[in-house]
Amino acid sequence: MNPSATTTVTERLRDRVTGRVITPGDADYETLRTTHYGAPDARPAVIVRAASTSDVVVAVAAARESGLELAVRSGGHSAAGHSTTERGILLDLGDMKDLEIDVENRTATARPGLTAGEYNTAAGRHGLATGFGDTGSVGVAGITLGGGVGLLTRRYGLTIDSLLGVEIVTADGGVLEADAEHDPDLFWAVRGGGGNFGVVTRLTFRLHPVDEVVGGMLVLPAAAEVIEGFARLVAAAPDELTAIANLMPCPPLPFVPAEVHGRPVLMAQLVHTGPVDEAEEALAPFRALAEPYADLVRPMRYPEIFQEEDMGPMPEIVSRGGFVREFGAEGAALLADAVATPGSPRIAQLRVLGGAVARIDTDATAFVHRDVPMMLMLVAFCDGPEDRARQEAWLEEASVLLDRATYVNFLGRAGAEEVRSAYPGRTWDRLAEVKRRYDPQNLFRLNHNVTPA
Ligand SMILES: Cc1cc2nc3c(=O)[nH]c(=O)nc-3n(C[C@H](O)[C@H](O)[C@H](O)COP(=O)(O)OP(=O)(O)OC[C@H]3O[C@@H](n4cnc5c(N)ncnc54)[C@H](O)[C@@H]3O)c2cc1C
């Protein structure tokens, strides 16, 4: 688009938007044009910091009428670089942070600019929570639209399993309320189908009684039998217990003895939502897997589980993630070897599913991988091109553990086939049909894209 046409779009946005319209040269442009996690060094033509649903309608109309690429950002954690656009319109919802909590009915209505940490800190004041991921800074909107796997997953299901309805601005500028009764196909599609169908401007969630939990970090040696035992124990544990384990060389953590730093460890985040005595009983076999290097698991308020985040410069990484159907001794040995290999670090993250996730019908949401026992994310740091080739070769080798199907929230820059593998069989056709109805021109295409049928 020529510069004068872009200027016209910007002027029209400035006239109509009540939030902020930011262009190159404005204060904040440099900090807002990209994000810490995975966003490319792009320069949007204009950034709309929306203040309301009407601002979103205006920005969507500007993209539709101008043909400029539209990026939609809530928490800005897209690993695929979808949180910004080169010379397009960046619709940034980060200022839309209202949260209404209905304690009596145990529901919460959130605007998309909220992060998981902000939401659960506020809900935690009432002894309530909704499960998002393991990281407080992830946006509630992005994680929900992809599914949402976190530390309450085995007890209360995926984030989408607590989603009661959304307000969504569709490609034609309509503002719809989608839930089980209104536009049910659209509501099915947004629960796992990502940002393909419109801009979600409000999300209503069920809140669960999660006040004091027994949770925190357990650090064990990353020997193959410990890894295998850990996965087996979580799968057999009561639903109250959810765990995420990171296998990695031990970082220089102050609560781990200095001689362990650099050695391969299994660093688990555990959350048990039941009474303390039941939690202690469920946790005992984990503590018995090996002498822990550190045991920080204790009664705590649930929001305390979110750790402080390192916002320092991001090293170059390569990654691959997905579902695991068979793990066992061989898989555990492969991962134990990988994290013990000298050179730039490798991290393998294991999430055991099951529990409440598996009890919901496969057809109920666009996330369909409910029978899969485990997820695995492989991340490798790279120190230059030669090292990158070495790490990519390892990813290829370790990928024998992964099922063909993928989880959209863990996809980086992915090809069409990889995106499609997140929606096997009929799910893809059903999504493509919903896409045809609500976004036939594929206006919302800067995402893990489902093309209209
Ligand atoms: C450090 C880190 C930890 C993570 N931990 C977990 C975890 O524990 N569990 C898990 O399931 N995932 C996890 N993820 C993945 C995360 O869920 C996805 O990257 C998610 O898309 C991020 O949402 P966001 O709103 O922060 O990101 P954004 O970059 O703002 O959004 C990502 C994409 O979602 C879509 N989108 C966002 N908001 C809207 C909206 N309001 N309307 C329509 N479309 C929208 C857009 O397509 C956008 O490009 C993690 C990611 C990171 C970087």
Side-chain angles (χ1 to χ4, degrees):
M1 175 173 269
N2 68 46
S4 72
T6 305
T7 309
T8 311
V9 173
T10 303
E11 280 167 3
R12 289 181 64 187
L13 284 167
R14 282 202 209 283
D15 279 349
R16 294 177 190 184
V17 164
T18 54
R20 291 189 289 155
V21 176
I22 299 156
T23 49
D26 287 345
D28 283 357
Y29 179 82
E30 285 305 318
T31 45
L32 288 176
R33 71 185 175 83
T34 188
T35 65
H36 184 69
Y37 289 107
D41 188 22
R43 301 189 66 82
V46 54
I47 302 171
V48 177
R49 267 301 263 204
S52 63
T53 301
S54 325
D55 283 356
V56 172
V57 172
V58 170
V60 167
R64 189 180 60 238
E65 287 157 16
S66 67
L68 286 172
E69 182 174 71
L70 179 67
V72 180
R73 178 192 299 170
S74 289
H77 280 49
S78 162
H82 293 149
S83 300
T84 190
T85 158
E86 182 64 39
R87 290 198 284 270
I89 299 174
L90 166 56
L91 173 56
D92 184 338
L93 307 168
D95 283 339
M96 293 172 67
K97 282 187 184 286
D98 302 336
L99 177 65
E100 280 165 38
I101 295 178
D102 181 340
V103 177
E104 204 175 314
N105 291 309
R106 289 199 180 150
T107 61
T109 298
R111 289 291 204 166
L114 279 165
T115 65
E118 290 165 342
Y119 176 107
N120 272 328
T121 300
R125 290 189 197 110
H126 307 280
L128 299 168
T130 302
F132 296 100
D134 63 355
T135 305
S137 62
V138 171
V140 295
I143 190 169
T144 304
L145 294 171
V149 180
L151 289 160
L152 297 177
T153 292
R154 287 170 42 80
R155 177 72 181 87
Y156 295 112
L158 305 170
T159 307
I160 47 173
D161 301 332
S162 295
L163 187 67
L164 300 172
V166 294
E167 177 187 84
I168 182 166
V169 176
T170 48
D172 61 2
V175 181
L176 301 179
E177 300 284 342
D179 56 31
E181 262 116 54
H182 309 93
D183 289 275
D185 282 351
L186 179 60
F187 185 51
W188 169 84
V190 296
R191 286 177 292 161
N196 273 289
F197 309 96
V199 182
V200 169
T201 42
R202 200 179 270 132
L203 306 98
T204 301
F205 293 102
R206 179 170 292 118
L207 287 162
H208 305 283
V210 182
D211 192 4
E212 193 178 87
V213 299
V214 177
M217 193 187 289
L218 183 67
V219 186
L220 299 167
E225 61 276 14
V226 175
I227 300 170
E228 189 198 356
F230 187 89
R232 188 173 23 82
L233 286 177
V234 185
D239 289 1
E240 280 76 9
L241 185 82
T242 302
I244 298 178
N246 284 297
L247 314 173
M248 62 201 290
C250 187
L253 299 167
F255 51 82
V256 179
E259 64 271 20
V260 177
H261 296 171
R263 280 200 219 158
V265 290
L266 182 156
M267 246 169 41
Q269 280 285 93
L270 297 136
V271 171
H272 190 288
T273 54
V276 175
D277 54 335
E278 287 177 23
E280 292 301 332
E281 197 181 316
L283 289 164
F286 291 87
R287 291 173 160 139
L289 281 169
E291 180 69 31
Y293 290 139
D295 183 350
L296 277 62
V297 184
R298 61 182 169 85
M300 59 164 69
R301 309 288 310 287
Y302 175 65
E304 288 177 57
I305 200 77
F306 296 116
Q307 294 169 343
E308 231 173 79
E309 292 174 47
D310 177 4
M311 300 308 268
M314 286 279 286
E316 189 195 348
I317 56 163
V318 287
S319 67
R320 207 171 280 190
F323 299 103
V324 179
R325 289 200 178 261
E326 302 276 338
F327 188 60
E330 250 174 67
L334 196 148
L335 296 183
D337 273 0
V339 290
T341 305
S344 6
R346 292 164 178 172
I347 303 175
Q349 185 183 72
L350 277 177
R351 295 173 185 238
V352 179
L353 301 174
V357 180
R359 280 196 293 275
I360 291 187
D361 264 3
T362 311
D363 276 357
T365 63
F367 177 103
V368 297
H369 315 280
R370 296 195 176 265
D371 60 335
V372 182
M374 210 189 286
M375 290 172 79
L376 176 64
M377 183 79 191
L378 304 164
V379 178
F381 292 76
C382 309
D383 187 10
E386 237 172 77
D387 196 37
R388 189 185 320 119
R390 185 185 74 94
Q391 297 289 49
E392 276 170 350
W394 167 64
L395 286 183
E396 192 58 39
E397 185 194 329
S399 293
V400 295
L401 294 175
L402 297 174
D403 188 65
R404 252 184 50 74
T406 55
Y407 170 45
V408 272
N409 272 354
F410 284 176
L411 282 181
R413 289 173 178 80
E417 207 173 306
E418 247 184 298
V419 174
R420 201 168 173 144
S421 70
Y423 307 111
R426 237 171 53 77
T427 313
W428 178 269
D429 301 334
R430 199 171 160 193
L431 281 172
E433 179 53 27
V434 177
K435 178 79 171 174
R436 186 191 63 74
R437 286 222 312 274
Y438 294 94
D439 183 17
Q441 304 300 325
N442 205 4
L443 178 68
F444 303 109
R445 61 184 173 278
L446 192 61
N447 46 40
H448 293 303
N449 198 227
V450 174
T451 42

